[in-house]
Amino acid sequence: MKAGFNSYNEAERLAALREYQILDTEPEEAYDNLARLAAFICGTSIALVNLIAEDRQWFKAKLGLEVSEMPRNVGLSYLCLERRDIVVVPDTLADEKLAANPVVTDYPHVRFYAGVPLITPKGDIVGTLCVIDQTPRELNQKQMDALQALSRQVISQMELRRNLAEVSRFAEELKQTETELKRQHLRSQLFSEITLKIRESLQLPEILQTTVTEVQKLLQADRVLIFRLHADGSGTVVQEAVLPGWPVVLGKNILDPCFKESYIEKYRQGRVSAIVDIEHANIQACHREFLQQFGVKANLVVPILIRDGIWGLLVAHQCAAPRHWSSFELELLQQLANQIGIALSQAQMLEQETRQRQELLRSNAELEQFAYVASHDLQEPLRMVTSYLQLLERKYKTQLDSNAEQFINYAVDGARRMQTLINDLLNYSRVSTRGQPFEQVDCQVIFDRAIANLKVAIEECGGAITHDPLPVLRADPTQLAQVLQNLIGNAIKFRGQQPPKIHVGAVRKGGEAGEAGGAGEELLTQHGLNAPLPLTALSTQHSEWLFSVRDNGIGLEAQYAERIFVIFQRLHGRSQYPGTGIGLAICKKIIERHGGCIWVESEPGQGSTFYFTIPDRAEQSATFLEATAPFTRGSGY
């Protein structure tokens, strides 16, 4: 009977019952015992654990009843569904409607009925626990309470059964997952070994031999080989791992008569060939004969691709019998072919890099020679020109007119500027080649040294220079002092109408990029450093110090912010602001040698703030940067 339930509730109830997956299962002692206990407590001859499906009532446990199920439209359990509560019928014949029910008029001739709904934890009724007798009777309150308690035990048992089934399914899934993880572990192990060999050495024969040997073991294939493909479709087997008893093809030049340009193009596009049975495969007869001469009954072929196109093929052969290739095996060979392609590309890059390094060494040698010539052969003639011009001025001063004196002054000034330019060029070229090893440096000492060198200029302009507490870090002390001196000197040189006010700041930034946007950003704000940092300044994975040199000078337009760090780039004429235009280029090269970066934030008439960073990872930075110094020497910026 479905009276009293709308389709939505009935659908939910049936779904809840299906979740237990209990219908039509074998008898279980736990449910049988609950039925016996219910009959004993109530003194009846029949007891049922009754589950109500869509069109039938199925008895998970039964006592005193011969049938295992009944149609849903007979019996009295529909009363429990309607009332959602315990139902007790002392005598079915006392109710005209119940007296006509088939279970009353026919087997099992019910005169007494008591049923309790089986309600799930979510509130769905999936059946009843009922006791039945052929004679009228009454139940006291204790018996009804006990019957309800037993109904809850039935639900608990069903929940336990479902949980155990879920645990069993989970265990099976876990077993499958474990099997897959083992396979993945073997694959990862192989990848790790090949990747390690690639990192340790770019000896291609060793890498390729490891690949074929380990793949042959992992796939249990009869033969695994690497085929170096030539432009005409022929090729050479450059590495092979083959079981005893099968033909050895290592070192052989092979030409498959069916391997035409169309095949090469397909492999170039990433085609993979997996043949289960050579004998019955849909391939050309000439190709079948070609494979059979090497005893091949099944094969798996993946291309080895590099940047310029296809290099060769990674091939697995089964010679003893046909073989179905799994997706795992296919993916394994594809990924290994990718690793081989990477190794080949890296080997080519290493060869190219070696040639470039040799060229760079030659270029650096020429730069060193230039520095020697500039420091000796060029400066000596300049000193001679300057000395003789000054001697000419002193000896013939009374005999020269005003124009001659002016010409001599121009010549002396030009020679001096030429000498200054040569010295600055030497300083620029020697940033990398003549830099000192990094050491622990107290930046307060460096700052004091820079101020001492600028003492006269500071006193003449009446400048005020302040600074934050300065850190101790690893750096080249001479070069770091040169950076501070150049930046402070520029702030003095490019001052406005007011006496210069210069502040040197230092803020430590944490190892994660996000820290610069949190606490670090607050510190920056405290020092007036509100401008956003460039991406390069935020992307480091190590802690670093952010230095700033802020002034109240003439400033500059944003469009020139990068140009001023290029060698010989000037924004003002020499008559207005003297200099060679190399100072900031030297600063940039020094900071980059230290693993940092330098930039400027400025507006015309609003002063400028020069920022630069120095990593705070002492030993690592020094080692890495010193090791890479040959690649930056003489490169020019």
Side-chain angles (χ1 to χ4, degrees):
M1 301 285 292
K2 300 181 182 178
F5 281 81
N6 59 49
S7 60
Y8 176 78
N9 288 337
E10 177 67 1
E12 287 187 348
R13 190 190 71 78
L14 292 172
L17 176 59
R18 283 192 295 270
E19 286 181 2
Y20 287 105
Q21 297 184 356
I22 193 173
L23 291 175
D24 301 315
T25 58
E26 293 294 323
E28 297 178 49
E29 185 178 3
Y31 297 95
D32 293 341
N33 289 338
L34 289 171
R36 290 191 189 96
L37 187 55
F40 174 77
I41 291 172
C42 298
T44 61
S45 58
I46 300 173
L48 303 172
V49 175
N50 176 22
L51 300 176
I52 304 174
E54 186 174 8
D55 55 2
R56 60 178 175 144
Q57 302 173 73
W58 180 78
F59 310 135
K60 175 61 181 173
K62 57 187 177 65
L63 177 67
L65 197 65
E66 296 178 359
V67 296
S68 297
E69 63 179 44
M70 289 184 177
R72 180 168 169 176
N73 59 358
V74 302
L76 306 179
S77 291
Y78 73 89
L79 297 171
C80 293
L81 291 179
E82 290 179 346
R83 301 174 189 177
R84 298 183 64 86
D85 198 0
I86 186 171
V87 173
V88 179
V89 180
D91 187 354
T92 57
L93 297 182
D95 186 306
E96 182 179 351
K97 182 179 179 182
L98 298 181
N101 195 291
V103 297
V104 177
T105 61
D106 200 350
Y107 180 82
H109 304 287
V110 177
R111 291 291 301 278
F112 168 78
Y113 173 87
V116 182
L118 298 176
I119 304 176
T120 70
K122 292 183 179 179
D124 297 304
I125 298 177
V126 293
T128 61
L129 171 64
C130 53
V131 290
I132 299 170
D133 208 353
Q134 284 88 4
T135 60
R137 65 175 57 251
E138 297 280 351
L139 292 182
N140 59 38
Q141 187 62 45
K142 288 184 178 181
Q143 289 173 313
M144 288 191 292
D145 292 342
L147 202 58
Q148 287 181 309
L150 289 176
S151 73
R152 292 191 290 271
Q153 285 300 312
V154 171
I155 288 296
S156 296
Q157 193 65 34
M158 292 173 65
E159 287 287 322
L160 177 61
R161 187 181 187 282
R162 178 169 64 177
N163 291 338
L164 289 175
E166 290 178 354
V167 169
S168 178
R169 285 195 301 272
F170 175 75
E172 181 62 27
E173 292 174 358
L174 187 62
K175 184 178 179 180
Q176 294 175 358
T177 302
E178 184 179 1
T179 301
E180 180 61 25
L181 285 175
K182 286 181 179 178
R183 297 173 70 184
Q184 291 182 5
H185 175 68
L186 288 174
R187 182 168 58 187
S188 299
Q189 216 171 16
L190 180 56
F191 289 158
S192 298
E193 184 173 348
I194 294 175
T195 302
L196 181 61
K197 287 190 178 296
I198 291 174
R199 292 178 179 176
E200 288 179 344
S201 168
L202 284 178
Q203 299 299 319
L204 282 177
E206 182 180 358
I207 294 170
L208 301 183
Q209 182 59 56
T210 299
T211 301
V212 296
T213 301
E214 296 303 323
V215 170
Q216 188 275 323
K217 292 178 184 177
L218 186 60
L219 299 189
Q220 293 295 296
D222 295 329
R223 181 191 293 118
V224 174
L225 60 87
I226 293 177
F227 183 68
R228 176 70 169 98
L229 188 62
H230 303 317
D232 61 356
S234 66
T236 305
V237 177
V238 295
Q239 286 296 348
E240 178 187 38
V242 60
L243 293 181
W246 303 113
V248 175
V249 294
L250 178 62
K252 290 186 177 181
N253 294 322
I254 296 175
L255 176 61
D256 182 349
C258 298
F259 198 75
K260 305 299 182 183
E261 179 60 32
S262 58
Y263 282 86
I264 298 176
E265 183 58 32
K266 289 178 181 178
Y267 281 120
R268 185 179 289 115
Q269 294 173 3
R271 173 184 184 267
V272 174
S273 173
I275 300 179
V276 174
D277 187 349
I278 297 295
E279 187 67 29
H280 300 96
N282 184 22
I283 58 177
Q284 297 182 50
C286 57
H287 185 48
R288 179 179 293 106
E289 293 172 4
F290 169 78
L291 293 173
Q292 287 174 339
Q293 68 176 310
F294 302 111
V296 180
K297 287 189 169 57
N299 74 345
L300 180 59
V301 184
V302 299
I304 299 172
L305 303 174
I306 57 176
R307 292 174 299 171
D308 298 332
I310 186 168
W311 181 90
L313 304 172
L314 176 58
V315 184
H317 286 161
Q318 200 68 22
C319 301
R323 173 172 178 167
H324 287 275
W325 303 100
S326 68
S327 58
F328 163 79
E329 293 164 339
L330 178 60
E331 291 173 5
L332 173 65
L333 256 65
Q334 284 182 306
Q335 294 190 30
L336 286 176
N338 291 339
Q339 292 295 316
I340 295 172
I342 292 172
L344 292 166
S345 297
Q346 288 182 346
Q348 292 177 352
M349 291 172 61
L350 178 62
E351 182 180 357
Q352 181 181 1
E353 182 183 337
T354 301
R355 290 197 301 268
Q356 291 176 344
R357 186 179 303 176
Q358 292 172 346
E359 177 63 22
L360 189 58
L361 289 173
R362 185 192 62 77
S363 176
N364 284 337
E366 292 179 353
L367 180 61
E368 289 287 349
Q369 182 64 25
F370 162 75
Y372 177 83
V373 171
S375 60
H376 293 83
D377 298 349
L378 290 180
Q379 295 206 56
E380 182 58 32
L382 279 174
R383 282 193 293 269
M384 182 179 295
V385 170
T386 302
S387 298
Y388 276 102
L389 285 171
Q390 290 173 338
L391 180 62
L392 182 66
E393 181 185 25
R394 288 194 299 271
K395 186 172 182 179
Y396 298 102
K397 184 173 184 179
T398 57
Q399 303 176 31
L400 299 175
D401 58 18
S402 58
N403 288 335
E405 290 183 9
Q406 188 176 21
F407 295 156
I408 291 175
N409 289 336
Y410 286 158
V412 171
D413 180 65
R416 286 174 177 167
R417 284 192 290 108
M418 177 66 77
Q419 192 166 28
T420 300
L421 180 60
I422 290 174
N423 287 333
D424 285 350
L425 276 172
L426 280 173
N427 289 334
Y428 180 80
S429 68
R430 289 172 175 171
V431 168
S432 298
T433 60
R434 299 291 178 88
Q436 299 300 311
F438 291 179
E439 61 183 66
Q440 288 295 110
V441 173
D442 186 343
C443 291
Q444 180 63 55
V445 174
I446 297 298
F447 173 83
D448 293 341
R449 184 187 306 172
I451 295 302
N453 293 340
L454 295 168
K455 181 179 180 181
V456 174
I458 294 171
E459 291 176 348
E460 286 180 353
C461 68
I465 303 176
T466 58
H467 65 85
D468 289 345
L470 300 176
V472 175
L473 45 75
R474 286 188 68 84
D476 181 332
T478 301
Q479 290 188 345
L480 191 57
Q482 188 175 4
V483 169
L484 283 177
Q485 183 173 327
N486 282 355
L487 295 179
I488 295 173
N490 276 356
I492 293 173
K493 181 193 298 185
F494 297 102
R495 62 184 181 269
Q497 297 298 324
Q498 301 297 323
K501 292 182 179 180
I502 304 167
H503 181 78
V504 178
V507 178
R508 190 178 186 276
K509 294 165 54 187
E512 296 297 330
E515 293 184 29
E521 192 171 282
E522 294 178 5
L523 289 172
L524 298 180
T525 303
Q526 292 175 9
H527 293 282
L529 310 181
N530 299 318
L533 302 181
L535 183 59
T536 52
L538 294 174
S539 61
T540 179
Q541 295 181 353
H542 302 278
S543 60
E544 62 184 4
W545 283 94
L546 172 66
F547 290 84
S548 59
V549 179
R550 187 177 70 241
D551 63 52
N552 62 339
I554 61 175
L556 57 93
E557 295 182 7
Q559 60 181 318
Y560 301 121
E562 294 185 8
R563 175 181 165 185
I564 61 174
F565 294 101
V566 179
I567 192 169
F568 297 133
Q569 292 297 311
R570 299 173 52 88
L571 303 184
H572 308 280
R574 289 189 181 87
S575 60
Q576 188 176 6
Y577 296 101
T580 61
I582 299 179
L584 288 177
I586 291 176
C587 290
K588 182 176 186 290
K589 200 169 185 182
I590 289 174
I591 295 303
E592 288 177 346
R593 177 184 176 237
H594 283 71
C597 54
I598 184 170
W599 69 98
V600 64
E601 300 286 348
S602 180
E603 292 183 16
Q606 301 299 314
S608 303
T609 302
F610 284 82
Y611 300 99
F612 65 89
T613 60
I614 301 289
D616 193 23
R617 43 190 172 93
E619 296 293 344
Q620 184 177 355
S621 289
T623 302
F624 171 75
L625 292 165
E626 289 299 314
T628 56
F631 298 100
T632 58
R633 294 173 185 171
S635 58
Y637 288 85

